[in-house]
Amino acid sequence: AEDVAILQTLESNQRRKDLYQALTTNMADIFTFFLKLIEEHYQKHILSLEQGSVVEAAAHAKVVQVVLLTLSGFVEWVAMTHIMADEGKMLQILCLLLKNETFQTPAAECLLQIVSRKGKAEERRPLLILFSADAMACMFHAAGVASEKALDEKHYMFLKKLTQVLTGIGTQLCSLWGKDECNTRPPNFSMYLEAIATFSRHPSLTVAHYANALWTVFFKHELISKDSVFLSFIPKWVEATAPKIMKVVFPSVKCATSPTDSAPYAVLDYDSEEEFNIFFHRCRTDMLDTFKQATLVAPLVTFTYMQEWLSVRIQKTLNIPEPLCTVQSPSYIEWEALSMVLDSVLSRIVMCAERPAVSAGLHLLDLCLALEPQDPLILSTLLSCISALFVFLSMSPAESSTNYLPRVLDKIFSALVFTLPGETKETRSRSVKNVRRHAASLMVKIGQKYPLLLLPVFDRIKMIVNDLENKADALSKLEIICLQEALLLISNHFCEYERESVFVGEILRPVADQWLLMATEVFTTPEAFMAFVGLDKPPVEPSSNDINGRNRSQIICAVDVLCAVVKRCAWPEDPDRALRGGFVIGRTDAGNPIYRNPATPHLLPLLPGLLALIKVFNSLWTPQAQALLSPGYKSAHAMLDVDRNNLLGIPS
């Protein structure tokens, strides 16, 4: 059989050319014939139904469906003049068929092929006829009805197809608005946006994700993003999309839960939890990116929504004490989503000409600082909110930031030493460890983003860190190193070489002597190294009794400190400050300054040990070293799954 629609099954090029020429020559008559068939058999189908002749009605319906299927193969490549013939009669018919459940899916498929066409702007401009009152009314009606239907796979498939049709129309509008004759808002734009907002509100994340892609394009469009009608719909988009950021748990079985939930639709769209989780991560990321774009367009709208959401959530937490959460607890899921959206919105606030009042942001910060959750999961999300709100300290007068900084630091450090009743260092739960690490990482983050704000309280932070470091079991080595990184980031802005170098020396001194000793005694041969870390002995359980385990920890800690210093120490970016601070030690022949890093004199004596450690690691692969390996560590040389997957190109 020969495919005369898309001409892909023809072996002879000449035959393909002959058919294409014949089709092109007679395409006007072919399309007239198609439309006549649709009209005739559609009317007979309706008449047969009215007369109660179901079999005859089905026969006529089959003809219409076959014609629509055939049309879908032509409309993506034929000249636009055929599609728009007789004042766009074909588009009118297809839009009308969207109202009929029997024909709406193939009609939507035809429309999707049409609105997805590429080509020159003048060829696609006629598609804007779809913004006419009649066409838009049909699509708006179909969108409303499809969105309200009970959960049914057939209706759901049509809904997804219709969503793609409407977003395709919007994509065409984006490419045409502002070019040549299309300089103004199309008619019925409000009705169109209401339909897209309907899709954004739909519980299906797939449908909402389709719609979100269009909103993103609209927010980025120079003219659409300033249109008054479009701006009036941003609050609707925000209200519809923010709840979609909340994590959806993929049901273990196909459930008959409410169709207002996202989970039943997830089961229809995805075959496994893993597949759904990959999609959800992408969907959430895209929606958060759209929040960033929306904030650039309407910062007061997005901030006001987040202001209310955060205030209400804090009040709920105060009024309704809950037992410890899990990652699937509704309150945690909401807190997590809230913190993500808040971060997306506030990450763009400083880029906006119209900003929310600093006092409003500081009020939210007050609410967060006053909240004292005893749940590590909630506390972690609260830290994320405080991190996002920190931007208002950079926008506030000096006296305000001076008043708030000690309270913010106290909140972070209280989270850093957070523990649940009855827990010890050895028995801390994962959620407690995570919130403590989150607090330490937050210090690094604000030290990197707002070092000048923290510079006046450097000595206070340093004193707190030293006190915690001297307390037994107060902090883990990882947490201490994170705090040292934060201090290094802040100290970079002293812009005084000697002062910064002295501080780097203070950080490296506790590990330097141990490192030099290991370099001369342990990192010399693979045998000495294996004996030191215990690779030549059976594994010891529990690990707390493993003396060699402490040796391993000592090496890791030293390497982490070295990495922290190398990664965080820097000379000033401003050449004048670098010169005044003593960082410039000469000039090149071209006159460019030669800088010195404050960490250099402290790191240089330690580098030979690092190179020796690397050499020893490579030596562990020799037959002699592998012969010494304890049977309990035989798999130590095996490749990690993540590395194997990376080499094979398998997504993790």
Side-chain angles (χ1 to χ4, degrees):
E2 292 182 323
D3 182 349
V4 296
I6 55 177
L7 311 176
Q8 294 299 311
T9 61
L10 306 178
E11 296 182 2
S12 168
N13 286 335
Q14 185 58 47
R15 178 62 175 161
R16 182 182 292 111
K17 290 178 181 178
D18 292 343
L19 278 174
Y20 180 78
Q21 185 175 2
L23 286 170
T24 304
T25 303
N26 299 285
M27 192 58 70
D29 294 335
I30 293 173
F31 267 53
T32 301
F33 173 66
F34 283 159
L35 295 183
K36 183 179 179 181
L37 278 177
I38 292 175
E39 287 183 292
E40 179 182 338
H41 287 276
Y42 176 77
Q43 291 171 359
K44 290 181 178 179
H45 166 75
I46 298 299
L47 184 61
S48 298
L49 287 178
E50 291 174 351
Q51 295 173 349
S53 180
V54 178
V55 175
E56 188 175 341
H60 291 299
K62 185 65 176 176
V63 174
V64 176
Q65 290 168 342
V66 170
V67 175
L68 290 172
L69 180 63
T70 307
L71 262 180
S72 66
F74 283 96
V75 293
E76 62 179 325
W77 62 269
V78 300
M80 186 63 76
T81 52
H82 299 303
I83 295 174
M84 302 306 301
D86 199 8
E87 298 182 344
K89 184 177 180 180
M90 176 189 291
L91 295 178
Q92 296 173 25
I93 291 174
L94 292 175
C95 288
L96 287 170
L97 290 177
L98 293 176
K99 294 183 176 182
N100 190 301
E101 289 189 13
T102 306
F103 310 114
Q104 58 185 194
T105 299
E109 179 60 40
C110 279
L111 282 170
L112 179 58
Q113 296 294 336
I114 294 170
V115 300
S116 301
R117 287 175 62 115
K118 310 295 182 184
K120 297 179 181 178
E122 57 268 21
E123 293 176 357
R124 292 179 287 116
R125 190 174 296 113
L127 291 176
L128 296 184
I129 195 177
L130 290 169
F131 281 96
S132 66
D134 291 340
M136 197 53 61
C138 290
M139 288 186 281
F140 182 73
H141 175 268
V145 172
S147 297
E148 294 170 1
K149 287 282 187 182
L151 183 58
D152 173 84
E153 189 164 2
K154 179 183 175 183
H155 291 142
Y156 181 48
M157 293 300 291
F158 167 68
L159 176 64
K160 290 195 290 185
K161 191 74 68 178
L162 182 61
T163 306
Q164 291 174 294
V165 170
L166 280 161
T167 54
I169 295 171
T171 303
Q172 293 288 358
L173 177 64
C174 277
S175 64
L176 295 171
W177 194 331
K179 291 184 179 178
D180 301 331
E181 301 171 14
C182 184
N183 290 316
T184 58
R185 177 197 312 140
N188 306 296
F189 190 45
S190 178
M191 187 186 299
Y192 172 76
L193 289 177
E194 190 60 61
I196 300 299
T198 299
F199 296 140
S200 293
R201 286 189 289 267
H202 196 274
S204 165
L205 286 174
T206 301
V207 170
H209 191 226
Y210 286 153
N212 186 76
L214 181 64
W215 288 107
T216 303
V217 176
F218 280 172
F219 283 127
K220 291 180 178 180
H221 195 279
E222 183 180 0
L223 298 178
I224 297 177
S225 62
K226 298 173 184 175
D227 180 76
S228 59
V229 172
F230 175 73
L231 291 173
S232 70
F233 274 84
I234 295 180
K236 295 183 180 182
W237 173 82
V238 171
E239 292 174 7
T241 305
K244 297 288 193 297
I245 305 299
M246 287 191 269
K247 173 68 177 173
V248 175
V249 179
F250 189 80
S252 55
V253 294
K254 289 196 175 184
C255 50
T257 56
S258 167
T260 58
D261 295 333
S262 296
Y265 295 96
V267 175
L268 289 177
D269 283 322
Y270 303 97
D271 295 327
S272 66
E273 182 178 5
E274 181 182 7
E275 186 182 347
F276 171 73
N277 287 340
I278 292 172
F279 159 75
F280 180 78
H281 175 74
R282 185 176 73 252
C283 175
R284 174 188 268 182
T285 301
D286 290 345
M287 288 180 175
L288 290 172
D289 285 342
T290 310
F291 263 102
K292 294 176 182 178
Q293 294 298 326
T295 301
L296 294 175
V297 174
L300 298 185
V301 173
T302 54
F303 175 77
T304 301
Y305 180 87
M306 293 312 304
Q307 183 181 26
E308 183 177 353
W309 189 8
L310 179 57
S311 300
V312 170
R313 184 61 258 183
I314 288 176
Q315 197 59 47
K316 284 182 183 177
T317 304
L318 288 171
N319 294 341
I320 310 173
E322 297 183 29
L324 291 182
C325 292
T326 68
V327 292
Q328 294 187 3
S329 299
S331 57
Y332 170 71
I333 289 174
E334 184 180 355
W335 266 109
E336 181 196 35
L338 187 158
S339 64
M340 288 180 170
V341 181
L342 185 67
D343 182 67
S344 294
V345 170
L346 297 186
S347 69
R348 294 296 183 269
I349 284 294
V350 293
M351 301 167 63
C352 303
E354 186 182 25
R355 300 177 186 175
V358 173
S359 58
L362 293 180
H363 175 66
L364 291 179
L365 185 58
D366 273 323
L367 294 178
C368 290
L369 294 175
L371 188 63
E372 298 286 349
Q374 297 306 306
D375 187 304
L377 289 175
I378 302 301
L379 179 56
S380 185
T381 59
L382 185 66
L383 287 178
S384 297
C385 294
I386 292 172
S387 172
L389 291 165
F390 206 90
V391 68
F392 286 104
L393 291 183
S394 68
M395 297 161 57
S396 64
E399 56 271 18
S400 293
S401 59
T402 302
N403 292 333
Y404 275 94
L405 263 179
R407 295 171 57 201
V408 172
L409 293 175
D410 288 345
K411 192 72 173 182
I412 295 173
F413 281 109
S414 67
L416 188 64
V417 295
F418 179 87
T419 188
L420 290 173
E423 284 190 346
T424 64
K425 183 179 180 180
E426 289 72 26
T427 62
R428 284 175 192 155
S429 64
R430 179 179 294 274
S431 57
V432 169
K433 290 179 181 177
N434 286 344
V435 75
R436 291 165 66 99
R437 290 173 184 173
H438 188 173
S441 300
L442 179 54
M443 285 301 302
V444 174
K445 180 179 178 180
I446 61 177
Q448 195 165 28
K449 291 184 69 174
Y450 310 103
L452 296 179
L453 272 178
L454 297 176
L455 197 59
V457 293
F458 175 84
D459 291 333
R460 172 189 169 93
I461 298 173
K462 181 183 175 185
M463 182 183 68
I464 295 173
V465 172
N466 289 340
D467 288 345
L468 291 173
E469 190 175 357
N470 293 330
K471 289 181 181 178
D473 297 337
L475 297 178
S476 68
K477 293 292 184 183
L478 177 64
E479 291 157 0
I480 291 171
I481 292 170
C482 269
L483 294 176
Q484 289 174 335
E485 284 191 57
L487 288 169
L488 287 169
L489 287 166
I490 302 169
S491 71
N492 286 336
H493 294 267
F494 287 138
C495 297
E496 297 177 28
Y497 175 82
E498 292 299 334
R499 185 178 179 184
E500 291 180 30
S501 185
V502 168
F503 179 63
V504 174
E506 291 177 12
I507 288 181
L508 285 175
R509 193 171 298 116
V511 300
D513 293 340
Q514 296 174 347
W515 183 259
L516 292 172
L517 183 63
M518 288 189 292
T520 55
E521 297 183 359
V522 178
F523 304 159
T524 52
T525 65
E527 293 82 5
F529 178 77
M530 293 175 73
F532 185 73
V533 299
L535 284 174
D536 58 349
K537 307 175 187 67
V540 177
E541 294 295 342
S543 58
S544 56
N545 297 331
D546 186 1
I547 297 176
N548 298 110
R550 297 169 197 165
N551 294 339
R552 295 192 292 270
S553 176
Q554 187 177 325
I555 294 174
I556 293 171
C557 176
V559 171
D560 285 344
V561 172
L562 293 178
C563 287
V565 171
V566 170
K567 185 165 59 173
R568 301 303 183 185
C569 286
W571 54 74
E573 294 181 358
D574 185 343
D576 292 335
R577 289 189 174 185
L579 181 62
R580 290 196 303 269
F583 293 88
V584 179
I585 57 173
R587 299 273 176 179
T588 64
D589 293 339
N592 296 320
I594 300 173
Y595 297 105
R596 57 176 176 169
N597 191 298
T600 302
H602 308 285
L603 279 173
L604 281 179
L606 307 180
L607 285 181
L610 186 62
L611 297 174
L613 177 60
I614 294 172
K615 182 179 179 180
V616 166
F617 274 138
N618 289 329
S619 301
L620 294 178
W621 293 89
T622 61
Q624 297 87 342
Q626 293 198 39
L628 296 174
L629 197 64
S630 168
Y633 291 113
K634 285 297 183 184
S635 60
H637 288 73
M639 183 180 290
L640 295 174
D641 288 341
V642 64
D643 294 329
R644 184 184 296 108
N645 291 340
N646 285 338
L647 287 172
L648 295 174
I650 301 173
S652 56

